[in-house]
Amino acid sequence: MSSHEVVLLLETDPRRGLSTDEAARRLERYGRNLLPAAGGGGFLRRALRQFHNPLIYVLMAAAVITAFLHEYVDASVIFGVVLVNAVVGYVQESKAEAALDSLRSMVRTEARVVRAGQERMIASEELVPGDLIVLEAGDKVPADLRLVRLAELRVDESALTGESVPVTKDEAELPEVTAVSDRRNMVYSGTLVTAGGGAGIAVATGTETELGQIHRLVGAADNLATPLTSKLAWFSKVLTVAILVLAAMTFGVGVLRGQDATETFTAAIALAVGAIPEGLPAAVTVTLAIGVTRMARRRAVIRRLPAIETLGSTTVICSDKTGTLTENQMTVRGLWTPDGEFTVSGSGYRPEGEICGPSGAVADEATSESLRWTLLAGAGCNDARVREENGEWVITGDPTEGAMLVVAGKGGIDRARLDNTLPRTATIPFSSERQYMATLHREPDSGREVVLAKGSVEQIVSMCRTEMSGDGTTRPLDTEAALRCAEGLSSQGLRVLATAVRRDGRSGDFNEDHLPGTLTLTGLQAMLDPPRSAAVPAVRACHDAGIGVKMITGDHAATATAIATNLAILGDDQQGRVLTGRDLQTLPAERFAETVDRATVFARVSPEQKLRLVETLQRRGHVVAVTGDGVNDAPALRQANIGIAMARTGTEVAKDAADMVLTDDDFATIEAAVEEGRGVFDNLIKFIVWTLPTNLGEGLVIFVAIILGATLPLLPTQILWINMTTAVLLGLMLAFEPKESGIMRRPPRDPRRPLLTGALVARIALVAALLVAGAWLLFEWEQRRGAGVAEARTAALNLFVVVEMLYLFSCRSLVRSAWRIGFFTNRWVLGGVLLQALAQLAITYLPAMNSIFDTAPIGGDVWLRIFAVGAAAAAVAALDKRLRRHLV
């Protein structure tokens, strides 16, 4: 619509705004200009959710029943495990809704509004549709506004759209299908005014704004389970059913055999408790926590523990461009003058780098007059300021002008000195209609007037008749050469501006009517937001690890293509691999998923499209990591299997929606994160492969005893002793296992692959069978030699632990032998084995422990038999690993 149609539709006044009474009525009708708070479910509901797990149900039931049967030690241990698990889960979930809170805080500001003809400051949450809002440089836009008047207004929309440079606004009518990033007549809630001013009519507030739409997307995006947690959930359900069936069979067989129902029921509970891997939740938490600590040392902060494991399974990384793969600091990379081309080193706003001529020699303002005046025009016709804050160089004003200031400094021109030697006296500001900016300066000594100008190449060239040579003289302008050079630079994804001067001393005709045809072209400045120096090797490392890297940005396709090519994200074959938001809109539904999977660069993409891309890749079977720093990235960050935000340049919304935050904003840190994630997953699988044979063996020992109508070789308290002490002192030591060599040269783990391969399941079953056979053999042997039941049970108990100790060394690698990985590469394992040995001596020989756990001291000959059986079991397990290692 035209602006006057908007005014009529919203029944407002473009000068006086709404009346106070009308504003109050609309506030009641439309509600406050806030994003809604998400219901957290309350303390009790959130706490109860932590117990929603099949294995936890069985454990709690077992704890209640054992307490009812006056087995208070058993019940206390089980309840303790369940409680620790619940506390950890509650703390993690309490942080999950922070993303929506941060989005709401983005619109909690003050706004300058005109009501009843009076300009006043009010809380932005009180704004209503139809309000007339005044904007100035530095203001945060408080609602979605249709502009009705403006003066050189430029707005930084990078957080919302991904556009890398501030957008110049105007009042033009636009087609209805215009994308958000191209709507020049609108400004949006949460964006920042960088230059100029204006006024606009509020057309959307609260949830109806573009920011509100993103809020809905964030809330609707699935907070996906990680590959590990989803597999563990399935594993828990299967294990629960198997344990309950086995326990029920045990009880039924015992009753049918005429055994005492109470004793049989106690034995069935012992079987259930023994078969459940109580130490698994703690092991998962501790292993992930150790991974978090390692990641923190490598400048990545994990906000959600399972996220670190997800990185190890990641198959695709969808990266934002601006501020993630690039510096988010415009940098002049090349200069052209009528006498030649110059290259510029250094990146960002830090004043470090050099200008080099065609021969490679360092150039400065004394090298060439045309170069000198190109730098002078860029620095003098400029409203930006660059300064150092806490060791970082930051800009106030337009990033393009900041880049021109920095390159002038590299050429020896200081802005402060320039203001003294060539002070400005008048300005023709930049506008989208003019496409240039011009400034008038006076030389203090001579009083001569000098005009400096910069702007789009086409516009500046059209205003020039001459060009400057290296010695400062002028000659007829070679228009074709200048435009040809500009086109070549633009094709590389560079933003190109032209500079010009007038040194004839005239000042009376300094206006936009008299400037055309009076200027002399000095040169061109080509700039871009440069790639991060560490991003290229990081992308290469991801490719080596079998991980695809895709760039998703709101920037223009040419710029995105150039950056992707420089980073080796995009190869020589670019056909069909660069798609724009418009391309995605027109793609047929049946070809969408395949085309998206094949493409590597997505430009001019909206937040909704970015979210759809992530969902599509996930449906294609990918484990997707998404990096980003803007508000526009938040929905995709939340939907991704793992969201990765930038700490320095990232908005609070992005950081709160993410699972991991990079403290150095460096894409290269993701490589380290993937490596750590793979190591964590390996260590968790090692723990599962180590612990399950014990649990399965304990359950089968009870089951066999009931089937045979024999005395139990292990009591419930003894089973709990084995489970809890070995899990802490032995199993958890695997969490400290170093990463195996070659971990980054193997492809990502297939997300459809089961948690345990057939070879590992067979190994678990074999070790469990060895434990059952060994325990029964030793239990019966000791009784036949005249030992009491307590001594025989103590022998069986110690056999279980000895086999676990020896098997632990084997589990330090799933495919390599314990000898090849070295016994001293994980000293935690040695320490754990020593402590477990002391614990076994205590439960065997201390009278108090004998009384609690129904154990008895045993002789040295019994220990010899225990170690002989244990060594035989370990040897068989090692042989199985050697034979099946290619299947793991």
Side-chain angles (χ1 to χ4, degrees):
M1 294 181 177
S2 63
S3 57
H4 78 271
E5 288 178 301
V6 174
V7 170
L8 291 173
L9 180 68
L10 292 173
E11 299 179 356
T12 186
D13 189 305
R15 295 291 174 184
R16 295 180 56 82
L18 297 173
S19 68
T20 304
D21 291 341
E22 178 61 23
R25 283 193 292 271
R26 295 191 184 189
L27 184 62
E28 185 175 350
R29 177 181 175 186
Y30 294 109
R32 293 188 172 273
N33 181 32
L34 292 172
L35 299 179
F43 167 81
L44 183 59
R45 183 179 297 178
R46 185 174 292 173
L48 290 175
R49 276 201 296 268
Q50 310 314 313
F51 299 93
H52 184 51
N53 181 289
L55 286 176
I56 298 298
Y57 295 157
V58 176
L59 281 176
M60 288 192 295
V64 169
I65 294 171
T66 49
F68 181 76
L69 297 174
H70 306 292
E71 301 289 346
Y72 299 118
V73 174
D74 299 14
S76 300
V77 172
I78 298 171
F79 271 128
V81 171
V82 171
L83 187 60
V84 169
N85 243 6
V87 170
V88 171
Y90 182 86
V91 170
Q92 290 178 350
E93 188 174 326
S94 296
K95 300 177 181 179
E97 303 302 325
L100 299 180
D101 290 335
S102 291
L103 273 168
R104 289 193 297 275
S105 71
M106 287 195 66
V107 293
R108 289 174 186 158
T109 182
E110 287 200 323
R112 190 178 287 103
V113 65
V114 178
R115 285 185 177 167
Q118 299 294 318
E119 186 175 308
R120 66 185 74 172
M121 296 294 294
I122 66 171
S124 63
E125 63 186 64
E126 297 179 15
L127 294 177
V128 296
D131 261 329
L132 176 63
I133 297 160
V134 180
L135 300 172
E136 294 179 356
D139 287 349
K140 182 179 284 187
V141 180
D144 287 3
L145 312 180
R146 171 60 189 270
L147 296 168
V148 294
R149 59 180 182 272
L150 62 148
E152 322 303 342
L153 181 65
R154 277 180 280 178
V155 180
D156 180 359
E157 296 181 342
S158 60
L160 182 67
T161 67
E163 179 71 65
S164 57
V165 295
V167 179
T168 301
K169 297 295 182 177
D170 59 41
E171 301 172 62
E173 297 175 40
L174 297 169
E176 188 175 345
V177 295
T178 305
V180 171
S181 54
D182 295 322
R183 296 177 191 170
R184 304 188 310 275
N185 55 12
M186 293 281 297
V187 291
Y188 293 100
S189 178
T191 60
L192 184 68
V193 178
T194 60
I201 301 294
V203 296
T205 59
T207 57
E208 298 304 312
T209 62
E210 287 296 323
L211 194 65
Q213 172 64 15
I214 292 177
H215 177 275
R216 286 195 293 274
L217 292 174
V218 172
D222 295 331
N223 202 348
L224 296 180
T226 72
L228 177 71
T229 53
S230 28
K231 285 184 173 65
L232 282 177
W234 177 87
F235 177 71
S236 297
K237 291 176 183 176
V238 172
L239 193 59
T240 300
V241 172
I243 289 169
L244 292 176
V245 169
L246 192 59
M249 287 174 58
T250 302
F251 179 72
V253 170
V255 171
L256 288 175
R257 290 182 60 89
Q259 298 175 20
D260 182 76
T262 302
E263 290 182 4
T264 305
F265 189 64
T266 303
I269 291 175
L271 184 152
V273 172
I276 290 176
E278 293 97 335
L280 182 57
V284 171
T285 301
V286 171
T287 304
L288 293 175
I290 291 169
V292 167
T293 303
R294 289 175 176 173
M295 281 304 307
R297 296 194 201 108
R298 303 182 78 167
R299 298 178 297 279
V301 176
I302 302 296
R303 298 185 65 253
R304 201 162 58 93
L305 281 182
I308 189 170
E309 170 271 325
T310 311
L311 277 165
S313 305
T314 298
T315 59
V316 173
I317 298 175
C318 295
S319 176
D320 181 41
K321 177 186 73 66
T322 305
T324 306
L325 290 166
T326 66
E327 301 276 2
N328 199 20
Q329 296 183 342
M330 290 298 287
T331 306
V332 174
R333 305 306 293 265
L335 298 163
W336 175 90
T337 70
D339 277 345
E341 297 185 20
F342 300 83
T343 59
V344 183
S345 62
S347 65
Y349 301 132
R350 185 174 295 276
E352 296 174 356
E354 296 175 332
I355 301 173
C356 295
S359 65
V362 176
D364 57 22
E365 60 171 326
T367 302
S368 161
E369 279 294 294
S370 55
L371 175 61
R372 174 173 176 264
W373 281 101
T374 296
L375 297 176
L376 276 172
C381 185
N382 195 310
D383 291 327
R385 290 289 186 273
V386 178
R387 66 189 186 281
E388 186 177 14
E389 287 185 0
N390 302 320
E392 297 287 331
W393 289 84
V394 296
I395 180 181
T396 302
D398 191 291
T400 300
E401 292 190 330
M404 289 183 151
L405 275 183
V406 173
V407 75
K410 293 175 182 178
I413 296 175
D414 178 71
R415 174 61 184 265
R417 179 165 56 86
L418 179 61
D419 289 342
N420 292 326
T421 58
L422 204 64
R424 185 192 302 186
T425 59
T427 303
I428 299 175
F430 178 88
S431 72
S432 56
E433 291 80 16
R434 295 190 197 96
Q435 291 294 306
Y436 75 88
M437 173 183 179
T439 52
L440 182 65
H441 302 258
R442 177 180 286 109
E443 296 177 346
D445 296 335
S446 64
R448 187 175 66 163
E449 302 281 352
V450 176
V451 174
L452 304 177
K454 74 173 191 304
S456 71
V457 176
E458 293 80 5
Q459 183 63 33
I460 293 294
V461 167
S462 70
M463 297 169 67
C464 296
R465 288 185 179 174
T466 58
E467 64 185 24
M468 186 179 292
S469 60
D471 59 7
T473 60
T474 60
R475 61 194 184 208
L477 174 65
D478 186 345
T479 303
E480 185 179 341
L483 294 178
R484 186 169 57 248
C485 178
E487 185 178 350
L489 293 168
S490 297
S491 67
Q492 301 173 36
L494 299 169
R495 187 179 189 201
V496 185
L497 297 181
T499 55
V501 301
R502 190 179 76 186
R503 298 181 295 169
D504 58 8
R506 292 179 291 160
S507 62
D509 58 356
F510 180 69
N511 58 66
E512 55 184 305
D513 295 327
H514 292 91
L515 276 184
T518 69
L519 300 179
T520 297
L521 181 70
T522 63
L524 308 176
Q525 297 196 26
M527 62 195 73
L528 85 164
D529 182 9
R532 292 181 176 272
S533 58
V536 175
V539 170
R540 188 181 303 116
C542 288
H543 286 160
D544 291 343
I547 301 170
V549 179
K550 298 179 185 290
M551 177 193 289
I552 303 179
T553 178
D555 220 332
H556 292 279
T559 305
T561 300
I563 295 294
T565 303
N566 291 339
L567 291 171
I569 293 174
L570 200 58
D572 295 332
D573 178 21
Q574 299 183 3
Q575 177 113 20
R577 301 185 65 193
V578 180
L579 297 174
T580 64
R582 183 164 293 182
D583 295 332
L584 295 175
Q585 283 180 327
T586 58
L587 268 176
E590 65 273 10
R591 289 179 46 214
F592 189 87
E594 182 183 350
T595 305
V596 164
D597 205 351
R598 188 175 68 251
T600 51
V601 175
F602 302 89
R604 304 302 276 175
V605 172
S606 68
E608 296 92 338
Q609 289 174 325
K610 189 168 185 176
L611 177 60
R612 187 185 176 194
L613 290 175
V614 174
E615 291 172 335
T616 300
L617 290 170
Q618 288 171 331
R619 284 196 297 271
R620 296 277 290 183
H622 289 290
V623 176
V624 183
V626 171
T627 73
D629 58 0
V631 178
N632 59 317
D633 299 317
L637 287 171
R638 186 169 176 82
Q639 172 65 34
N641 298 90
I642 176 166
I644 306 169
M646 307 296 138
R648 293 181 182 176
T649 59
T651 60
E652 288 303 312
V653 182
K655 286 184 275 190
D656 287 337
D659 305 294
M660 183 173 83
V661 179
L662 306 184
T663 60
D664 57 0
D665 285 18
D666 196 340
F667 183 87
T669 304
I670 298 173
E671 176 199 349
V674 170
E675 186 179 9
E676 291 295 339
R678 291 186 174 188
V680 165
F681 193 94
D682 282 358
N683 289 348
L684 286 172
I685 297 299
K686 290 171 187 177
F687 177 85
I688 292 171
V689 171
W690 171 83
T691 193
L692 286 187
T694 304
N695 298 112
L696 182 58
E698 290 165 343
L700 289 176
V701 160
I702 302 293
F703 182 71
V704 170
I706 297 296
I707 293 294
L708 298 178
T711 305
L712 294 180
L714 292 171
L715 294 176
T717 52
Q718 294 170 349
I719 288 174
L720 281 172
W721 166 269
I722 295 172
N723 286 356
M724 296 313 298
T725 59
T726 58
V728 173
L729 299 178
L730 299 181
L732 285 185
M733 301 305 110
L734 290 173
F736 298 93
E737 193 63 31
K739 295 179 291 292
E740 295 188 45
S741 59
I743 197 170
M744 286 298 286
R745 291 193 296 273
R746 68 192 192 199
R749 184 180 179 89
D750 187 343
R752 292 164 295 190
R753 186 181 181 185
L755 195 64
L756 299 173
T757 63
L760 293 178
V761 171
R763 189 181 305 173
I764 290 168
L766 173 65
V767 176
L770 291 171
L771 278 169
V772 173
W776 269 104
L777 174 66
L778 201 58
F779 181 72
E780 293 294 332
W781 182 278
E782 296 305 318
Q783 284 190 307
R784 288 180 183 179
R785 294 185 72 256
V789 174
E791 292 173 298
R793 282 174 173 161
T794 304
L797 182 153
N798 280 302
L799 175 68
F800 260 84
V801 174
V802 166
V803 172
E804 284 194 78
M805 285 180 178
L806 298 175
Y807 184 51
L808 179 70
F809 288 99
S810 176
C811 288
R812 289 184 57 203
S813 174
L814 298 178
V815 294
R816 300 161 67 195
S817 71
W819 306 102
R820 291 188 62 188
I821 61 176
F823 280 95
F824 298 100
T825 52
N826 185 352
R827 298 180 185 274
W828 289 90
V829 167
L830 300 177
V833 168
L834 177 61
L835 290 175
Q836 184 67 53
L838 294 175
Q840 291 310 116
L841 292 175
I843 196 174
T844 303
Y845 295 108
L846 291 181
M849 301 286 276
N850 295 155
S851 175
I852 294 173
F853 292 98
D854 292 314
T855 55
I858 55 178
D861 59 327
V862 180
W863 282 111
L864 287 175
R865 288 188 288 275
I866 289 172
F867 278 101
V869 176
V876 173
L879 179 62
D880 176 77
K881 180 165 72 169
R882 182 177 181 83
L883 295 175
R884 298 176 186 267
R885 61 185 175 185
H886 64 286
L887 299 174
V888 172

